[in-house]
Amino acid sequence: MDRNNDIREFLISRRAKISPEQAGIPSYGELRRVPGLRREEVAQLAGVSTDYYTRLERGSIRGVSDSVLEAVAAALNLDEAERAHLMDLARAANMPSRRALQRPPQQRVRPGVLRLLDGMTGVVAMVQNGRSDVLAANLLGRALYAPVFSSAAPSGPDTPVRLPNQARYLFLNPGAGDFYPDWRAIAATTVAMLRSESGRNPHDRALNELVGELTTRSGLFAALWAGHDVRIHTTGTKRFHHPVAGDLSLQYETLDLPGDEGQTLFTFTAEPGSASANALAFLASWASTPPETTTAGETAGGSTVPDVRTQSAAGNTHPGKDRTTP
C-alpha cells in the first residue's frame, strides 16, 4: 500500500465531510467548487500556513509534531477513531521506508483464554485478531457462526487450511446476505475496522494480502475501502438469520486482551426472556447434541463442534446479494 497516498486520501476525505457551518466559518451563501472546507480554511483553523497544510495533505507528514496533528484533527472535527488513525498514519510515515512487509507468526490463543471461552456456556464467545480472523470460539460461538467456519473449510485435498475470516465471508460468500439481515451496515463497519487496523499495522503482510484479494474480487469492498472511513468497534446489537435457530438479535461486547496484543474477545448475549434468548438456548442444545464431533484444528483452537451439523447449517443458506458491485 502507498502510505503517502493513504494520508492524502484520508485528509481529503475528512476535509470534504465537514461543512463551513460545522467548522464555524461563515459562507455568506457563496457557491463553493469543492465539498467541505478549502485547504486554506483548514490551515487557518489549525494555526498553520496554507503551504504547510498542503504539504501534509500531499502525504509529507514525516517529522510532523503531535501538537500539529492534534490541531489538524481538531480543525477537521475528527472523532476518536479518526484521530487515532491519523496518528497511526503519522507513525507509519516515520518508519524506515524500505522496511519489508512481514508475515506475522500464527497467532495462538493462550490455554487460559481457551478455558475461559469453554467456561462461558450460555454466551457466544470468540477471539479475533485485527484482520477479522477468528482465532478461537466456544461451542456456542461455533454453532452461531457455523456458516463462517464452514466457508473456511478446505474444499479439496490440495486446498490449504486457513482461519475463518469474517471479512472474506462477508464479501465473497453468497450466503452472507441471508446470514446477516443488516449485511451492508456490517460490511461497512468491517471495512472501517480493517482500515483502522491497516493504520496501526501497515507492515502486516497478511492484512495487505487480504485487502488486495477483497479489493480485486469485490467491487463493493473496493468502494468502501476507497472511502477511508475508520471505526472503533466496542458494543452494540447485531442481527442474525441462522439456518437452524432462525432470527436472533444479540448484544455484543468487545474486550481487548491486554496480555495478547492484537487479540479481542467478542461476546454475544440475548435479552433475558426474549425470543432471541429462546433461539440461543435452542442453538446451545442443538450444538451440544453428541452425534459426530470433530476436534477443532490448532489454528482456531477452542472446543469441539458437530461437523455434520456445521456443514448442514452452511448448506441451508440461500443465495445472497451480489458481492461484486457497489
Side-chain angles (χ1 to χ4, degrees):
M1 298 182 186
D2 185 339
R3 295 300 158 187
N4 286 345
N5 187 63
D6 281 347
I7 296 166
R8 175 181 178 275
E9 295 296 332
F10 178 68
L11 288 176
I12 289 175
S13 68
R14 299 312 97 175
R15 178 163 60 86
K17 287 192 171 186
I18 180 171
S19 67
E21 291 75 19
Q22 290 173 314
I25 297 175
S27 61
Y28 303 111
E30 65 176 314
L31 182 64
R32 302 172 72 90
R33 293 182 299 173
V34 296
L37 297 180
R38 302 186 179 101
R39 288 195 184 98
E40 57 268 26
E41 291 169 335
V42 177
Q44 181 181 2
L45 290 169
V48 298
S49 70
T50 301
D51 287 343
Y52 188 84
Y53 177 74
T54 300
R55 289 198 297 272
L56 294 183
E57 201 172 89
R58 288 174 178 168
S60 300
I61 204 169
R62 185 184 296 272
V64 176
S65 68
D66 286 351
S67 61
V68 170
L69 294 175
E70 289 288 357
V72 170
L76 293 173
N77 198 24
L78 302 187
D79 62 22
E80 181 184 357
E82 292 167 331
R83 186 183 301 266
H85 187 61
L86 178 60
M87 295 300 180
D88 287 335
L89 292 175
R91 278 191 288 272
N94 285 299
M95 291 179 182
S97 59
R98 294 185 178 274
R99 178 177 172 181
L101 293 181
Q102 300 292 323
R103 183 180 294 278
Q106 176 65 57
Q107 287 182 287
R108 302 290 180 180
V109 179
R110 289 184 292 110
V113 176
L114 293 178
R115 289 193 294 271
L116 175 65
L117 291 179
D118 286 337
M120 302 170 74
T121 55
V123 175
V124 173
M126 62 178 62
V127 175
Q128 289 186 197
N129 61 19
R131 296 187 298 275
S132 76
D133 292 326
V134 181
L135 302 177
N138 65 358
L139 188 63
L140 191 51
R142 287 174 176 274
L144 178 65
Y145 279 95
V148 180
F149 278 89
S150 181
S151 70
S155 57
D158 298 325
T159 305
V161 177
R162 61 184 178 186
L163 292 170
N165 182 275
Q166 299 274 19
R168 187 176 284 113
Y169 173 77
L170 269 167
F171 288 96
L172 302 183
N173 192 289
D178 292 320
F179 184 56
Y180 292 115
D182 303 313
W183 178 83
R184 285 189 173 268
I186 293 173
T189 296
T190 299
V191 175
M193 291 172 64
L194 289 178
R195 181 59 90 170
S196 295
E197 180 68 12
S198 176
R200 286 189 296 268
N201 296 297
H203 300 291
D204 185 336
R205 181 179 172 185
L207 175 60
N208 281 274
E209 289 175 351
L210 174 65
V211 171
E213 175 190 359
L214 296 180
T215 300
T216 301
R217 299 179 62 185
S218 169
L220 179 59
F221 180 91
L224 291 171
W225 185 257
H228 288 264
D229 291 330
V230 292
R231 191 168 304 176
I232 296 174
H233 207 46
T234 54
T235 185
T237 300
K238 185 173 288 188
R239 295 196 302 144
F240 302 86
H241 178 70
H242 194 275
V244 171
D247 294 328
L248 301 97
S249 179
L250 304 177
Q251 290 76 51
Y252 66 84
E253 301 288 341
T254 65
L255 176 65
D256 291 334
L257 300 178
D260 304 280
E261 185 177 356
Q263 296 186 15
T264 302
L265 172 65
F266 286 78
T267 62
F268 294 82
T269 58
E271 187 70 25
S274 65
S276 293
N278 293 334
L280 198 60
F282 172 78
L283 186 61
S285 175
W286 171 81
S288 61
T289 305
E292 284 185 45
T293 60
T294 179
T295 302
E298 287 186 358
T299 53
S303 54
T304 59
V305 59
D307 184 54
V308 173
R309 299 190 177 209
T310 298
Q311 298 297 332
S312 173
N316 286 338
T317 55
H318 303 292
K321 303 174 180 65
D322 178 16
R323 298 289 174 263
T324 60
T325 56

